[in-house]
Short mmCIF file of all heavy atoms in Angstrom, two decimals:
data_model
loop_
_atom_site.label_atom_id
_atom_site.label_comp_id
_atom_site.label_asym_id
_atom_site.label_seq_id
_atom_site.Cartn_x
_atom_site.Cartn_y
_atom_site.Cartn_z
N VAL A 33 135.64 17.76 112.51
CA VAL A 33 135.71 16.47 113.22
C VAL A 33 136.73 16.56 114.30
O VAL A 33 137.84 17.09 114.13
CB VAL A 33 136.15 15.34 112.23
CG1 VAL A 33 136.58 14.12 112.95
CG2 VAL A 33 135.03 15.05 111.26
N ALA A 34 136.35 16.06 115.50
CA ALA A 34 137.25 15.92 116.64
C ALA A 34 137.48 14.44 116.83
O ALA A 34 136.60 13.72 117.29
CB ALA A 34 136.67 16.59 117.88
N LEU A 35 138.66 13.98 116.49
CA LEU A 35 139.02 12.59 116.56
C LEU A 35 139.56 12.28 117.98
O LEU A 35 140.48 12.96 118.43
CB LEU A 35 140.09 12.25 115.52
CG LEU A 35 140.69 10.80 115.58
CD1 LEU A 35 139.66 9.75 115.27
CD2 LEU A 35 141.88 10.75 114.61
N PHE A 36 138.97 11.34 118.69
CA PHE A 36 139.45 10.96 120.00
C PHE A 36 140.86 10.41 119.88
O PHE A 36 141.15 9.60 119.03
CB PHE A 36 138.56 9.83 120.59
CG PHE A 36 137.18 10.22 121.00
CD1 PHE A 36 136.46 11.17 120.26
CD2 PHE A 36 136.60 9.67 122.11
CE1 PHE A 36 135.16 11.48 120.66
CE2 PHE A 36 135.30 9.99 122.53
CZ PHE A 36 134.60 10.92 121.78
N LYS A 37 141.74 10.81 120.78
CA LYS A 37 143.09 10.34 120.79
C LYS A 37 143.24 8.97 121.46
O LYS A 37 144.08 8.16 121.11
CB LYS A 37 144.02 11.32 121.53
CG LYS A 37 144.38 12.54 120.75
CD LYS A 37 145.34 13.34 121.56
CE LYS A 37 146.01 14.41 120.76
NZ LYS A 37 146.94 15.19 121.60
N LYS A 38 142.45 8.73 122.52
CA LYS A 38 142.56 7.48 123.28
C LYS A 38 141.17 6.89 123.52
O LYS A 38 140.19 7.46 123.12
CB LYS A 38 143.24 7.78 124.61
CG LYS A 38 144.62 8.33 124.52
CD LYS A 38 145.17 8.68 125.86
CE LYS A 38 146.51 9.44 125.72
NZ LYS A 38 146.86 10.17 126.88
N GLU A 39 141.16 5.79 124.23
CA GLU A 39 139.90 5.12 124.55
C GLU A 39 139.40 5.53 125.94
O GLU A 39 138.80 4.69 126.64
CB GLU A 39 140.15 3.61 124.46
CG GLU A 39 140.43 3.09 123.12
CD GLU A 39 139.23 3.21 122.16
OE1 GLU A 39 138.08 2.99 122.63
OE2 GLU A 39 139.44 3.50 121.00
N ASP A 40 139.65 6.71 126.42
CA ASP A 40 139.24 7.13 127.72
C ASP A 40 137.73 7.22 127.85
O ASP A 40 137.00 7.08 126.86
CB ASP A 40 139.89 8.47 128.07
CG ASP A 40 141.37 8.37 128.32
OD1 ASP A 40 141.86 7.26 128.54
OD2 ASP A 40 142.06 9.41 128.25
N ASN A 41 137.32 7.57 129.05
CA ASN A 41 135.88 7.67 129.37
C ASN A 41 135.19 8.66 128.40
O ASN A 41 135.63 9.80 128.27
CB ASN A 41 135.80 8.15 130.80
CG ASN A 41 134.42 8.25 131.31
OD1 ASN A 41 133.48 8.63 130.60
ND2 ASN A 41 134.27 8.00 132.61
N PHE A 42 134.11 8.25 127.83
CA PHE A 42 133.31 9.09 126.91
C PHE A 42 132.93 10.41 127.61
O PHE A 42 132.99 11.48 126.95
CB PHE A 42 132.08 8.36 126.47
CG PHE A 42 131.15 9.19 125.62
CD1 PHE A 42 131.38 9.38 124.24
CD2 PHE A 42 130.06 9.87 126.14
CE1 PHE A 42 130.56 10.19 123.48
CE2 PHE A 42 129.24 10.66 125.41
CZ PHE A 42 129.50 10.80 124.05
N GLU A 43 132.54 10.41 128.84
CA GLU A 43 132.07 11.60 129.53
C GLU A 43 133.21 12.63 129.65
O GLU A 43 132.97 13.85 129.55
CB GLU A 43 131.49 11.28 130.93
CG GLU A 43 130.18 10.55 130.86
CD GLU A 43 129.12 11.31 130.07
OE1 GLU A 43 129.02 12.52 130.20
OE2 GLU A 43 128.41 10.67 129.30
N THR A 44 134.45 12.18 129.81
CA THR A 44 135.57 13.07 129.85
C THR A 44 135.70 13.78 128.49
O THR A 44 135.92 15.00 128.48
CB THR A 44 136.86 12.26 130.18
OG1 THR A 44 136.72 11.66 131.43
CG2 THR A 44 138.10 13.22 130.17
N TYR A 45 135.61 13.04 127.44
CA TYR A 45 135.73 13.65 126.12
C TYR A 45 134.56 14.62 125.86
O TYR A 45 134.74 15.69 125.32
CB TYR A 45 135.77 12.54 125.03
CG TYR A 45 137.11 11.92 124.86
CD1 TYR A 45 137.53 10.94 125.74
CD2 TYR A 45 137.99 12.34 123.88
CE1 TYR A 45 138.78 10.36 125.62
CE2 TYR A 45 139.26 11.79 123.79
CZ TYR A 45 139.64 10.78 124.62
OH TYR A 45 140.85 10.24 124.49
N ASN A 46 133.37 14.17 126.19
CA ASN A 46 132.15 14.96 125.93
C ASN A 46 132.22 16.30 126.68
O ASN A 46 131.84 17.32 126.14
CB ASN A 46 130.95 14.16 126.32
CG ASN A 46 129.66 14.77 125.79
OD1 ASN A 46 129.60 15.30 124.70
ND2 ASN A 46 128.65 14.74 126.62
N SER A 47 132.73 16.24 127.88
CA SER A 47 132.79 17.51 128.70
C SER A 47 133.91 18.46 128.30
O SER A 47 133.88 19.60 128.62
CB SER A 47 132.83 17.16 130.19
OG SER A 47 134.01 16.52 130.50
N ASN A 48 134.92 17.93 127.61
CA ASN A 48 136.12 18.71 127.26
C ASN A 48 136.11 19.25 125.83
O ASN A 48 136.88 20.11 125.49
CB ASN A 48 137.39 17.95 127.50
CG ASN A 48 137.75 17.83 128.96
OD1 ASN A 48 137.74 18.83 129.66
ND2 ASN A 48 138.01 16.64 129.41
N VAL A 49 135.22 18.71 124.98
CA VAL A 49 135.37 19.00 123.54
C VAL A 49 135.20 20.50 123.24
O VAL A 49 135.98 21.08 122.44
CB VAL A 49 134.42 18.13 122.70
CG1 VAL A 49 132.95 18.50 122.93
CG2 VAL A 49 134.78 18.21 121.24
N GLU A 50 134.26 21.19 123.82
CA GLU A 50 134.06 22.62 123.55
C GLU A 50 135.19 23.46 124.09
O GLU A 50 135.66 24.40 123.45
CB GLU A 50 132.70 23.13 124.08
CG GLU A 50 131.54 22.61 123.30
CD GLU A 50 130.19 23.15 123.75
OE1 GLU A 50 130.20 24.24 124.42
OE2 GLU A 50 129.19 22.52 123.47
N ILE A 51 135.67 23.10 125.25
CA ILE A 51 136.82 23.84 125.88
C ILE A 51 138.06 23.68 125.00
O ILE A 51 138.74 24.69 124.70
CB ILE A 51 137.08 23.27 127.30
CG1 ILE A 51 135.93 23.53 128.19
CG2 ILE A 51 138.39 23.84 127.84
CD1 ILE A 51 135.97 22.77 129.52
N GLU A 52 138.32 22.49 124.51
CA GLU A 52 139.47 22.22 123.69
C GLU A 52 139.36 22.85 122.32
O GLU A 52 140.34 23.29 121.74
CB GLU A 52 139.78 20.75 123.65
CG GLU A 52 140.22 20.19 124.98
CD GLU A 52 140.69 18.78 124.94
OE1 GLU A 52 141.28 18.35 123.91
OE2 GLU A 52 140.59 18.11 126.00
N ALA A 53 138.12 22.92 121.79
CA ALA A 53 137.92 23.60 120.50
C ALA A 53 138.31 25.07 120.61
O ALA A 53 138.96 25.64 119.73
CB ALA A 53 136.47 23.48 120.05
N ASN A 54 137.98 25.70 121.70
CA ASN A 54 138.29 27.12 121.93
C ASN A 54 139.82 27.31 122.00
O ASN A 54 140.29 28.35 121.57
CB ASN A 54 137.65 27.65 123.24
CG ASN A 54 136.17 27.90 123.11
OD1 ASN A 54 135.69 28.18 122.02
ND2 ASN A 54 135.47 27.77 124.18
N LYS A 55 140.53 26.32 122.52
CA LYS A 55 141.99 26.45 122.63
C LYS A 55 142.65 26.58 121.25
O LYS A 55 143.74 27.13 121.17
CB LYS A 55 142.56 25.23 123.38
CG LYS A 55 142.28 25.28 124.83
CD LYS A 55 142.88 24.08 125.55
CE LYS A 55 142.59 24.06 127.03
NZ LYS A 55 143.17 22.94 127.72
N ILE A 56 142.00 26.04 120.22
CA ILE A 56 142.61 26.15 118.86
C ILE A 56 141.83 27.14 118.01
O ILE A 56 141.93 27.14 116.78
CB ILE A 56 142.72 24.76 118.19
CG1 ILE A 56 141.39 24.09 117.98
CG2 ILE A 56 143.74 23.88 118.90
CD1 ILE A 56 141.42 22.90 117.04
N GLY A 57 140.97 27.93 118.65
CA GLY A 57 140.32 29.03 117.97
C GLY A 57 138.99 28.63 117.24
O GLY A 57 138.61 29.36 116.34
N LEU A 58 138.39 27.52 117.62
CA LEU A 58 137.15 27.14 117.01
C LEU A 58 135.98 27.42 117.91
O LEU A 58 136.05 27.10 119.10
CB LEU A 58 137.17 25.59 116.70
CG LEU A 58 138.18 25.08 115.68
CD1 LEU A 58 138.12 23.58 115.66
CD2 LEU A 58 137.93 25.67 114.32
N ASP A 59 134.93 28.01 117.37
CA ASP A 59 133.68 28.22 118.09
C ASP A 59 132.64 27.24 117.60
O ASP A 59 132.12 27.43 116.49
CB ASP A 59 133.19 29.66 117.92
CG ASP A 59 131.90 29.91 118.72
OD1 ASP A 59 131.46 29.06 119.46
OD2 ASP A 59 131.32 31.01 118.53
N ILE A 60 132.46 26.16 118.34
CA ILE A 60 131.49 25.14 117.91
C ILE A 60 130.21 25.14 118.72
O ILE A 60 129.39 24.24 118.64
CB ILE A 60 132.18 23.75 118.05
CG1 ILE A 60 132.66 23.49 119.46
CG2 ILE A 60 133.30 23.59 117.01
CD1 ILE A 60 133.15 22.10 119.72
N THR A 61 130.02 26.21 119.53
CA THR A 61 128.87 26.28 120.40
C THR A 61 127.51 26.28 119.69
O THR A 61 126.53 25.83 120.26
CB THR A 61 128.94 27.52 121.33
OG1 THR A 61 129.08 28.69 120.53
CG2 THR A 61 130.14 27.43 122.25
N LYS A 62 127.47 26.78 118.46
CA LYS A 62 126.21 26.84 117.75
C LYS A 62 126.03 25.69 116.73
O LYS A 62 125.05 25.61 116.02
CB LYS A 62 126.10 28.15 117.00
CG LYS A 62 125.98 29.32 117.99
CD LYS A 62 125.83 30.63 117.26
CE LYS A 62 125.61 31.71 118.30
NZ LYS A 62 126.58 32.77 118.26
N GLU A 63 126.98 24.79 116.69
CA GLU A 63 126.93 23.66 115.76
C GLU A 63 126.22 22.48 116.38
O GLU A 63 126.22 22.31 117.59
CB GLU A 63 128.41 23.24 115.41
CG GLU A 63 129.26 24.32 114.82
CD GLU A 63 128.80 24.85 113.51
OE1 GLU A 63 128.28 24.03 112.65
OE2 GLU A 63 128.89 26.06 113.27
N GLU A 64 125.65 21.66 115.51
CA GLU A 64 125.11 20.38 115.94
C GLU A 64 126.26 19.44 116.24
O GLU A 64 127.29 19.51 115.54
CB GLU A 64 124.24 19.77 114.84
CG GLU A 64 123.01 20.56 114.51
CD GLU A 64 122.00 20.58 115.63
OE1 GLU A 64 121.84 19.58 116.31
OE2 GLU A 64 121.34 21.64 115.81
#
Side-chain angles (χ1 to χ4, degrees):
V33 166
L35 174 66
F36 289 38
K37 284 184 165 180
K38 300 176 187 161
E39 294 291 323
D40 290 342
N41 183 327
F42 175 83
E43 290 304 318
T44 301
Y45 280 82
N46 194 39
S47 65
N48 284 312
V49 69
E50 287 184 22
I51 296 165
E52 292 188 31
N54 285 331
K55 288 182 180 179
I56 60 167
L58 296 174
D59 180 6
I60 57 172
T61 56
K62 294 183 175 122
E63 305 295 322
E64 296 292 325

